[in-house]
């Protein structure tokens, strides 16, 4: 039995009172590092976190024939194809 490889490995860390830090559940991004934008609704429906998105301006106004104002909004393209409108940012 001693010669068999171990199935599990020990991750260092434990309760915060031990003096050791807990292991991170995910890799922390460095400051300024880009991140892939994914849709949580697509992940719930299809099981795949998609990355297709498009940008729009919401609440635009027109003054003297020139559009101005509004806020930038990013929507999921796959949700729109399925008949939903999911706002990502």
């Amino acid at each position: 039995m001693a010669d068999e490889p171990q199935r599990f490995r020990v991750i260092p860390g434990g309760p915060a009172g031990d003096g050791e830090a807990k292991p991170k559940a995910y890799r922390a991004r460095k400051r300024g590092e880009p991140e892939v934008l994914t849709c949580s609704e697509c992940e719930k429906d299809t099981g795949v976190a998609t990355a297709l998105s498009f940008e729009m301006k919401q609440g635009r106004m027109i003054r003297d024939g020139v559009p101005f104002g509004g806020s930038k909004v990013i929507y999921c393209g796959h949700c729109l194809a399925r008949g939903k409108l999911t706002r990502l940012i």
Side-chain angles (χ1 to χ4, degrees):
M1 287 191 94
D3 296 334
E4 293 179 16
Q6 286 188 342
R7 262 181 86 184
F8 303 103
R9 62 186 174 96
V10 176
I11 299 174
D18 289 356
E20 293 183 22
K22 288 186 176 183
K24 292 183 181 177
Y26 60 91
R27 184 180 72 87
R29 288 187 312 120
K30 294 179 185 171
R31 186 178 201 150
E33 185 178 342
E35 181 181 4
V36 176
L37 187 64
T38 58
C39 178
S40 60
E41 287 298 315
C42 286
E43 192 170 14
K44 284 186 221 171
D45 293 345
T46 64
V48 178
T50 60
L52 179 66
S53 60
F54 62 95
E55 205 173 289
M56 295 180 73
K57 286 278 194 165
Q58 188 175 31
R60 301 277 296 194
M61 295 175 273
I62 296 178
R63 181 185 327 153
D64 299 328
V66 179
F68 73 97
S71 58
K72 182 172 80 168
V73 182
I74 298 178
Y75 291 110
C76 175
H78 289 290
C79 284
L80 186 65
R82 288 196 314 262
K84 294 181 178 180
L85 189 61
T86 305
R87 182 177 174 173
L88 301 177
I89 293 179

